[in-house]
């Protein structure tokens, strides 16, 4: 196949990938978008086979390995519970990162196969691109592995910090730049291996100080990195599909990180440097005094809701942990039978990844046009009778609006306290991730429901 | 003077960043999770490089030091391609509109 034809076909698959993302602008077009993505991928792979044109025994092995990986992927995709999506996405990011590293290594060992020169005499531009692709890929890999372990609970979600951490990270980053420079002038394979090893290390060090609730930012950031790694390799291979995709994925992840940071009113660097835990500890100590709390049972909650004409549900990570989404939808069905208007309010950082709550509600058959984002619904709380907070905490804390001393001051929150009454499902009075007390617990119109989210929701449904 | 092909690729790259910027802002927030899984799947188009690397061995040598990395990368990328697209499809199938019959 001529180089021009294959380049054109790669361009087409790049365009199909753009359309795949474009489809996600609404749920109706999204399925079609996904199909475009699949077609784009099939084109890219077929073109590669045809342009290499080597249909010897090696080709059979390629198909075998493709089938092995494909069946593992398909198996995971069908088995994974929706609550585990953050872990899955983190795991997948690590694979993209590692694949980028492997391709870069292969290109370094055997540059002739990619038309990049000969070993020890690789074109300068290609070498720089290769080094960037390998380094970013390695960072993506080790960072995603740590994010995965934290999300899975294998590793503690608490930030791990030590003295001189930032200085060490800065030192490593500088050494990566220096290594790349010397790699280019000496073409030494030892330097290439060291560069990869150091990049693995920095990926690991960057993620360990970041706490569990900051995971939405981390996952988006790693998403972005995996894109830049792919783009780096795309430049090395002079492949348009890869360059376009890398740029798309890179900017997509960057935008998501930005949205997540804004949802927490924190700067990107503040999250990355892991500064949150430190401030939270000191404020947590101050609020030791006991304040009266009204607590109730499922019967009280059912009574309140039965007499309401509109209810707003505020789900959070706790709902995912308790797997309460189906029980919640059943409760809402019963409410709707009694002609009560129900809507859902989703905070941008609810859950452990962007859009986490939306997927869980969709899984429980909640129609997506009943689910609203913070800006869309925040004014409705004042007119609603009952707010049902299930598994959320910090995102409803009015302190963010009233107390400039609070670490979460300025963070956009849901105006839950404006509702006539608030039902707050929670295991105990313990503070949320930010380590601060929620003023909402002590409000006159708040009724605390101390129980497991799923069990409480089921009990309320029985009492309705 | 002839323009280095690198500049062409750079142009594509920069313009794609802008395309990505506008396209991703138009993605509805409720689909942000599928967005992540689908970007995951498409970034595995890196399999293109993996295939070239895997088939780079000399005549009769299937597993050379460089092609082994290619084969490993094929497995990783294939997990991602199939897993990413299928899980996205599974998620998107769940997004339903309110039934108007009420």
């Amino acid at each position: 196949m001529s180089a021009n034809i294959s380049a054109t076909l790669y361009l087409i698959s790049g365009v199909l990938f753009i359309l795949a993302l474009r489809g996600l602008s609404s749920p109706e077009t999204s399925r079609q978008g996904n199909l475009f993505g699949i077609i784009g991928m099939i084109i890219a792979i077929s073109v590669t086979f045809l342009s290499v044109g080597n249909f010897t025994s090696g080709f059979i092995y390629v198909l075998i390995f493709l089938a092995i990986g494909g069946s593992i992927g398909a198996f995971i995709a069908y088995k994974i519970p929706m609550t585990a999506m953050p872990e899955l996405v983190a795991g997948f990011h690590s694979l993209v990162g590692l694949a980028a590293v492997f391709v870069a290594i292969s290109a370094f060992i055997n540059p002739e196969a990619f038309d990049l020169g000969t070993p020890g005499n690789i074109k300068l531009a290609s070498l720089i691109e290769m080094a960037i692709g390998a380094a970013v890929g390695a960072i993506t890999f080790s960072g995603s592995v740590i994010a995965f372990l934290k999300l899975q609970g294998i590793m503690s979600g608490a930030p791990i910090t030590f003295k001189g951490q930032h200085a060490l990270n800065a030192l490593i980053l500088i050494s990566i730049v220096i290594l790349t420079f010397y790699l280019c002038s000496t073409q030494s394979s030892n330097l290439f291996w060291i560069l990869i090893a150091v990049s693995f290390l920095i990926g690991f060090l960057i993620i360990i100080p970041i706490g569990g609730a900051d995971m939405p930012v981390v996952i988006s950031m790693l998403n972005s990195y995996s894109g830049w790694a792919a783009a780096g390799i795309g430049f090395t291979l002079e492949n348009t599909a890869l360059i376009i995709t890398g740029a798309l994925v890179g900017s997509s992840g960057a935008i998501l990180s930005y949205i997540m940071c804004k949802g927490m009113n924190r700067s990107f660097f503040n999250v990355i440097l892991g500064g949150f835990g430190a401030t939270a500890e000191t404020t947590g100590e101050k609020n030791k005094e006991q304040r009266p709390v009204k607590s109730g049972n499922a019967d009280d909650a059912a009574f309140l809701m039965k007499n309401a004409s509109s209810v707003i549900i505020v789900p959070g990570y706790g709902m995912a942990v308790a797997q309460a989404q189906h029980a919640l939808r059943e409760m809402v069905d019963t409410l709707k039978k009694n002609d009560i208007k129900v809507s859902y309010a989703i905070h941008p950082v609810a859950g452990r990844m962007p859009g986490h709550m939306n997927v869980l509600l969709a899984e429980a058959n909640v129609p997506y046009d009943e689910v609203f984002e913070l800006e869309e619904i925040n004014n409705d709380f004042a007119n609603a009778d009952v707010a049902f907070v299930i598994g959320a905490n910090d995102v409803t804390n009015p302190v963010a609006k009233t107390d400039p001393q609070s670490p979460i001051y300025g963070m956009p929150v849901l105006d839950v306290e404006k509702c006539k009454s608030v039902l707050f499902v929670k295991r105990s009075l313990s503070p949320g991730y930010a380590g601060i007390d929620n003023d909402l617990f002590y409000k006159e119109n708040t009724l605390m429901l101390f129980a497991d989210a799923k069990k409480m929701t089921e009990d309320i449904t029985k009492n309705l | 003077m002839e323009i280095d092909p690198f500049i062409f690729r750079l142009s594509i790259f920069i313009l794609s960043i802008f395309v990505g910027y506008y396209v991703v802002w138009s993605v509805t927030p409720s689909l942000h999770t599928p967005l992540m899984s689908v970007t995951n799947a498409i970034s595995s188009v890196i399999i293109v490089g993996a295939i070239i690397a895997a088939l780079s061995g000399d005549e009769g040598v299937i597993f050379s030091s460089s092609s082994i990395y290619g084969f490993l990368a094929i497995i990783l990328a294939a997990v991602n391609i199939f897993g990413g697209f299928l899980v996205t499809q599974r998620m998107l199938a769940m997004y339903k509109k309110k039934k108007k019959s009420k």
Side-chain angles (χ1 to χ4, degrees), chain A residues 48-49 52-67, chain B residues 50-64 67-68 70-72 74:
Chain A
T48 313
F49 282 144
V52 175
N54 175 2
F55 295 103
T56 54
S57 45
F59 178 70
I60 309 289
Y61 280 97
V62 169
L63 290 185
I64 292 173
F65 282 85
L66 194 64
Chain B
I51 293 171
I52 299 175
L55 295 175
S56 66
D58 293 324
E59 197 78 17
V61 186
I62 294 164
F63 296 105
S64 68
S67 73
I68 282 179
F71 282 113
L72 289 175
I74 287 180

Side-chain angles (χ1 to χ4, degrees), chain A residues 77-423:
Chain A
Y78 280 111
K79 284 282 167 211
I80 192 90
M82 282 301 141
T83 40
M85 276 317 289
E87 292 93 304
L88 179 76
V89 168
F92 278 173
H93 285 155
S94 73
L95 300 184
V96 179
L98 197 58
V101 174
F102 284 161
V103 173
I105 293 175
S106 180
F108 186 81
I109 300 178
N110 187 3
E112 285 126 319
F114 298 86
D115 285 328
L116 306 173
T118 52
N121 189 21
I122 300 171
K123 279 187 279 180
L124 179 65
S126 308
L127 199 56
I128 297 174
E129 291 151 7
M130 219 183 275
I132 294 174
V136 180
I139 294 172
T140 312
F141 171 71
S142 55
S144 302
V145 168
I146 300 299
F148 175 82
L149 294 177
K150 284 195 173 199
L151 287 164
Q152 271 281 352
I154 297 170
M155 201 172 146
S156 154
I160 298 167
T161 48
F162 53 89
K163 238 180 143 192
Q165 194 165 28
H166 300 327
L168 178 69
N169 289 353
L171 205 69
I172 295 178
L173 283 175
I174 294 169
S175 77
I176 287 180
V177 176
I178 297 174
L179 278 167
T180 311
F181 181 79
Y182 277 106
L183 174 67
C184 293
S185 56
T186 63
Q187 306 247 353
S188 145
S189 58
N190 286 339
L191 284 179
F192 188 68
W193 295 112
I194 297 173
L195 175 71
I196 291 175
V198 170
S199 305
F200 277 131
L201 183 66
I202 187 75
F204 170 78
L205 288 172
I206 287 176
I207 308 301
I208 55 165
I210 305 178
D214 287 338
M215 279 304 149
V217 182
V218 171
I219 295 192
S220 319
M221 185 183 83
L222 292 167
N223 185 239
S224 179
Y225 285 179
S226 68
W228 303 130
I233 301 294
F235 274 102
T236 318
L237 305 182
E238 310 186 343
N239 183 304
T240 335
L242 207 41
I243 294 175
I244 295 178
T245 316
L248 288 178
V249 178
S251 52
S252 160
I255 291 172
L256 290 176
S257 323
Y258 170 79
I259 296 175
M260 292 301 113
C261 286
K262 224 178 101 207
M264 295 193 287
N265 187 41
R266 297 172 61 198
S267 77
F268 184 68
F269 287 102
N270 181 291
V271 176
I272 295 308
L273 297 176
F276 213 32
T279 31
E281 273 166 38
T282 46
T283 27
E285 295 298 306
K286 268 191 284 179
N287 291 331
K288 272 279 161 80
E289 74 214 87
Q290 290 285 317
R291 286 196 277 173
V293 169
K294 273 200 291 185
S295 79
N297 56 29
D299 205 17
D300 306 327
F303 177 77
L304 267 172
M305 284 207 254
K306 227 187 284 178
N307 291 306
S309 61
S310 68
V311 174
I312 299 180
I313 305 210
V314 182
Y317 182 58
M319 181 188 80
V321 174
Q323 302 263 15
Q325 65 270 33
H326 297 281
L328 181 69
R329 209 259 335 207
E330 275 162 32
M331 183 187 93
V332 170
D333 282 351
T334 321
L335 288 175
K336 281 199 214 149
K337 267 185 215 137
N338 295 319
D339 279 326
I340 298 164
K341 188 175 167 280
V342 185
S343 39
Y344 299 80
I346 313 253
H347 191 276
V349 294
R352 286 290 183 268
M353 75 184 293
H356 192 185
M357 291 299 122
N358 303 78
V359 169
L360 293 182
L361 292 177
E363 187 200 9
N365 278 323
V366 173
Y368 61 83
D369 39 10
E370 285 176 11
V371 182
F372 298 94
E373 303 299 315
L374 178 116
E375 299 89 32
E376 296 172 318
I377 201 168
N378 227 4
N379 292 330
D380 297 353
F381 280 107
N383 306 319
D385 297 310
V386 175
F388 186 71
V389 183
I390 174 165
N393 187 359
D394 290 335
V395 298
T396 62
N397 197 339
V399 160
K401 290 176 285 191
T402 53
D403 179 10
Q405 300 297 312
S406 166
I408 62 166
Y409 181 71
M411 170 170 134
V413 287
L414 293 159
D415 295 334
V416 173
E417 77 282 359
K418 290 189 182 151
C419 268
K420 289 200 189 76
S421 40
V422 178
L423 295 169

Side-chain angles (χ1 to χ4, degrees), chain B residues 25 47 90 100:
Chain B
W25 271 118
I47 197 167
R90 204 180 128 200
K100 291 290 173 211

Side-chain angles (χ1 to χ4, degrees), chain B:
Chain B
M1 205 182 99
E2 221 179 314
I3 300 170
D4 191 321
F6 172 79
I7 302 300
F8 286 122
R9 286 189 284 275
L10 188 67
S11 319
I12 295 173
F13 179 64
I14 303 287
L15 292 176
S16 302
I17 291 177
F18 279 91
V19 171
Y21 179 86
Y22 288 106
V23 169
V24 171
W25 271 118
S26 76
V27 171
T28 163
S30 67
L31 291 175
H32 275 162
T33 299
L35 171 68
M36 298 199 88
S37 61
V38 84
T39 50
N40 227 315
I42 63 172
S43 58
S44 302
V45 73
I46 202 159
I47 197 167
V48 164
I51 293 171
I52 299 175
L55 295 175
S56 66
D58 293 324
E59 197 78 17
V61 186
I62 294 164
F63 296 105
S64 68
S65 59
S66 72
S67 73
I68 282 179
Y69 286 107
F71 282 113
L72 289 175
I74 287 180
I75 295 190
L76 297 177
V79 171
N80 235 331
I81 292 172
F82 282 76
F85 280 126
L86 289 174
V87 88
T88 309
Q89 198 157 25
R90 204 180 128 200
M91 270 191 276
L92 293 177
M94 298 184 313
Y95 282 82
K96 289 185 199 88
K97 231 180 172 164
K98 192 164 16 186
K99 283 189 208 85
K100 291 290 173 211
S101 57
K102 215 189 142 187

